[in-house]
Amino acid sequence: MTRTRTQLKIVASDLAPDAHAPAAGATQRIVDSITAAIAERRLMPGTKLSEQKIGDLFEVSRTVVRQALNQLSRDRLVVLEPARGAFVATPTAEEARDVFEMRSILETAVTKRLCATITDEQIRQLREHLALEGAAVSDAAVPGRTRLLADFHLVLARMLGNEVLTQMLSELLTRSSLIALMHQSSHSAGESHSEHVAIVDAFERRDVKAAVRLVGKHLVNVQHNLNLDPQQVDLAEILNR
């Protein structure tokens, strides 16, 4: 994938912190900033992450930046290439299928448990989130609506109070954002929002079977709208030879 100067400028603006921060916790701030830029689809797969540039932006040493990039590498969001540096990961079709399989397992479990215990107050919170989603879908600000659509799944997980589960799902959702960019998802924000509304309707009815079915259908729809199996080019046929 071609990495242009324009891409590098985008990286710089996307990762710039809101204010100068002390050195303590700088590694995590860099990790959080890059993760957010990926989740909101502001950092494209294959983009080079310059240690020097990131260090200058956060006013930290390259050692601190390297620690952050190593952490992101362990989370499969960044690839470290010897003698070349760090790049935003470019997920393969096989990785995409694995990610969605894990999401299906986790989110099915979340749905079953939550639908059996969900309160009226939690339903109200979900409706509030859907209202924000709906407004964002009508807006031209892609990062905002992308974040809200992904956060819907995290809101459900957080309602169970299991932080380990929430963290695992958060990592999978960030990788899903990279996959959608890499494999040109055609699943629209409007479709996702409508499917989220149907899921909450099932929660409100306390209909576990319907909720599980709708969550599964939503994930299948998202995966099916990815270009995981692009058509192979037959040069002999194209060139009539």
Side-chain angles (χ1 to χ4, degrees):
M1 181 178 293
T2 302
R3 303 176 180 96
T4 64
R5 291 184 179 180
T6 300
Q7 282 182 309
L8 295 180
K9 290 179 181 177
I10 292 173
V11 172
S13 62
D14 284 344
L15 301 185
D18 293 333
H20 298 304
T27 297
Q28 191 58 47
R29 285 193 298 276
I30 295 170
V31 168
D32 291 344
S33 186
I34 293 176
T35 300
I38 290 172
E40 295 174 7
R41 303 184 188 180
R42 291 181 281 119
L43 270 178
M44 297 294 291
T47 302
K48 183 174 175 59
L49 300 171
S50 164
E51 288 183 6
Q52 185 62 55
K53 184 165 291 187
I54 293 172
D56 291 344
L57 285 169
F58 286 86
E59 297 185 345
V60 296
S61 69
R62 293 181 65 172
T63 299
V64 172
V65 176
R66 203 167 293 125
Q67 290 171 347
L69 294 176
N70 282 330
Q71 182 174 327
L72 289 162
S73 175
R74 291 192 295 272
D75 294 338
R76 304 293 183 89
L77 298 179
V78 165
V79 174
L80 303 178
E81 299 184 10
R84 296 190 67 235
F87 300 86
V88 177
T90 54
T92 64
E94 183 178 359
E95 288 176 60
R97 294 187 181 95
D98 289 345
V99 166
F100 276 94
E101 181 179 0
M102 284 306 303
R103 281 190 62 183
S104 180
I105 292 169
L106 288 179
E107 296 194 49
T108 295
V110 167
T111 302
K112 287 180 178 178
R113 288 187 57 195
L114 182 59
C115 198
T117 61
I118 197 164
T119 65
D120 290 341
E121 173 59 21
Q122 288 174 325
I123 293 292
R124 186 189 64 77
Q125 292 171 11
L126 288 173
R127 294 292 182 194
E128 288 182 353
H129 185 89
L130 290 177
L132 293 174
E133 266 189 26
V137 166
S138 302
D139 196 348
V142 175
R145 74 182 185 215
T146 299
R147 176 179 52 79
L148 282 166
L149 289 168
D151 278 354
F152 172 80
H153 300 268
L154 289 179
V155 170
L156 296 179
R158 289 191 187 108
M159 286 180 172
L160 291 177
N162 187 324
E163 288 303 318
V164 174
L165 173 62
T166 302
Q167 181 60 35
M168 290 175 64
L169 186 55
S170 176
E171 292 172 4
L172 289 171
L173 287 164
T174 304
R175 292 178 70 180
S176 293
S177 290
L178 269 181
I179 290 164
L181 284 170
M182 185 69 190
H183 296 282
Q184 301 175 344
S185 174
S186 60
H187 195 70
S188 73
E191 286 179 280
S192 286
H193 174 63
S194 295
E195 290 164 358
H196 290 174
V197 170
I199 291 167
V200 174
D201 288 344
F203 273 116
E204 190 165 29
R205 298 192 306 270
R206 274 65 173 183
D207 189 338
V208 177
K209 288 184 178 180
V212 169
R213 176 177 57 80
L214 289 165
V215 167
K217 182 180 178 182
H218 171 56
L219 293 177
V220 166
N221 288 344
V222 173
Q223 183 175 348
H224 281 179
N225 279 279
L226 294 170
N227 186 26
L228 296 181
D229 297 299
Q231 185 177 1
Q232 296 297 314
V233 175
D234 186 336
L235 286 179
E237 181 179 343
I238 291 173
L239 300 177
N240 296 317
R241 297 287 182 182

